[in-house]
């Protein structure tokens, strides 16, 4: 059971480039999330999804886009990378209400924009 | 506006002693609270949770206490072990979440170091 898998683990982007951070879970969880963690800061919610075809903005959505075409996959797209997007990105999933406790996180993607 | 606050960036304790990590929240709509543990280069892992209908939840060496009137919770680790050295995040979710972990709001974390 792999849990939540994120790729790539590390990436360096130039300003203005674009990329997609991949996230896949094999636990059949309805809910999926993207968080970013800046140095010395907590995790801030970028986007989340309550099921395939349904996504919504979190606390810091600007500069990002997501899609949820399947239950398993929840990719995060950066269109025009900016230095402010240098961060560690975590994808997570969780089961429906009453069916378990706690998020399952991926191991993170460390992104540097130069 | 930080709704979940962990005011101690770091804490150092001796092996075998008690570790107490604190967390305060400002949003009265929060009704479910969780603690996560994070090692370097890994994602956070769920540790323990508590619903607002309780004031204490225990799981082995880990106990979480909730004081709703003070909007304060704490995580006690007894006895502390070197393997407990990690960053601990406090998190909360909103009212009517059904005891779930939906759309969590996280604190900044506290780095716990347990010295042998």
């Amino acid at each position: 059971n792999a849990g939540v898998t994120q790729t790539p683990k590390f990436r360096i982007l130039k300003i203005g480039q674009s990329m997609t951070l991949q996230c896949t879970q094999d636990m059949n969880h309805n809910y999926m999330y993207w968080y970013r963690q800046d140095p010395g800061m907590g995790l801030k919610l970028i986007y989340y999804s309550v099921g395939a075809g349904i996504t919504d903005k979190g606390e810091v959505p600007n500069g990002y886009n997501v899609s949820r075409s399947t239950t398993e996959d929840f990719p995060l797209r950066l269109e025009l990378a900016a230095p402010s997007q240098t961060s560690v990105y975590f994808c997570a999933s969780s089961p429906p209400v009453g069916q378990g406790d706690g998020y399952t996180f991926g191991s993170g993607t460390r992104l540097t924009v130069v | 506006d930080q709704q979940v606050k962990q005011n101690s960036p770091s804490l150092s304790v001796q092996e075998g002693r008690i570790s107490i990590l604190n967390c305060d929240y400002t949003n009265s709509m929060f009704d479910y609270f969780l603690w996560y543990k994070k090692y370097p280069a890994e994602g956070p892992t769920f540790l323990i949770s508590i619903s607002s209908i309780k004031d204490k939840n225990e799981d082995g060496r880990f106990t979480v206490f909730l004081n709703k009137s003070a909007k304060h919770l704490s995580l006690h680790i007894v006895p502390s072990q070197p393997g407990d050295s990690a960053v601990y995040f406090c998190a909360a979710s909103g009212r009517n979440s059904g005891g779930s972990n939906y759309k969590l709001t996280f604190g900044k974390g506290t780095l716990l170091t347990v010295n042998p």
Side-chain angles (χ1 to χ4, degrees):
Chain A
N1 191 342
V4 177
T5 302
Q6 288 185 239
T7 56
K9 292 192 183 300
F10 304 94
R11 182 74 185 267
I12 298 175
L13 276 183
K14 293 184 178 179
I15 295 171
Q17 287 185 322
S18 62
M19 76 166 294
T20 299
L21 283 68
Q22 302 292 343
C23 176
T24 299
Q25 54 97 2
D26 61 0
M27 298 168 286
N28 201 33
H29 284 170
N30 285 22
Y31 301 155
M32 294 189 75
Y33 314 84
W34 275 104
Y35 283 84
R36 60 177 285 174
Q37 184 190 12
D38 299 327
M41 304 295 288
L43 288 84
K44 293 191 181 296
L45 182 63
I46 305 171
Y47 270 94
Y48 66 99
S49 169
V50 300
I54 306 170
T55 62
D56 208 346
K57 296 177 180 178
E59 185 182 356
V60 288
N62 291 344
Y64 307 94
N65 279 300
V66 293
S67 60
R68 184 95 182 269
S69 58
T70 66
T71 299
E72 294 78 19
D73 300 307
F74 190 41
L76 177 72
R77 179 81 177 165
L78 284 72
E79 288 294 351
L80 291 170
S84 61
Q85 293 177 305
T86 294
S87 189
V88 180
Y89 292 84
F90 290 101
C91 178
S93 71
S94 63
V97 172
Q99 295 186 23
D101 213 354
Y103 286 1
T104 299
F105 279 91
S107 58
T109 295
R110 184 175 295 275
L111 175 67
T112 303
V113 181
V114 296
Chain B
D1 180 28
Q2 210 178 339
Q3 298 186 67
V4 177
K5 300 178 183 180
Q6 294 177 256
N7 292 320
S8 297
S10 63
L11 173 68
S12 182
V13 300
Q14 286 298 119
E15 181 178 6
R17 305 295 291 269
I18 185 172
S19 296
I20 300 176
L21 295 96
N22 293 304
C23 177
D24 297 293
Y25 61 97
T26 58
N27 190 337
S28 58
M29 299 295 283
F30 288 147
D31 63 355
Y32 200 69
F33 305 90
L34 306 92
W35 285 93
Y36 284 80
K37 177 179 180 179
K38 184 183 180 304
Y39 292 118
E42 294 183 10
T45 55
F46 170 72
L47 192 57
I48 193 169
S49 63
I50 187 166
S51 164
S52 59
I53 63 173
K54 296 184 176 181
D55 54 18
K56 176 182 175 181
N57 188 27
E58 192 171 355
D59 183 1
R61 296 185 297 113
F62 303 91
T63 303
V64 57
F65 294 91
L66 176 62
N67 182 335
K68 291 185 290 294
S69 61
K71 293 190 175 66
H72 176 83
L73 62 155
S74 60
L75 174 68
H76 293 211
I77 306 173
V78 183
S80 301
Q81 300 173 353
D84 296 329
S85 297
V87 175
Y88 289 78
F89 289 101
C90 173
S93 67
R95 194 172 299 279
N96 300 322
S97 64
S100 78
N101 41 55
Y102 176 57
K103 284 181 63 181
L104 296 176
T105 299
F106 286 82
K108 292 184 178 182
T110 296
L111 173 62
L112 172 66
T113 302
V114 180
N115 301 303

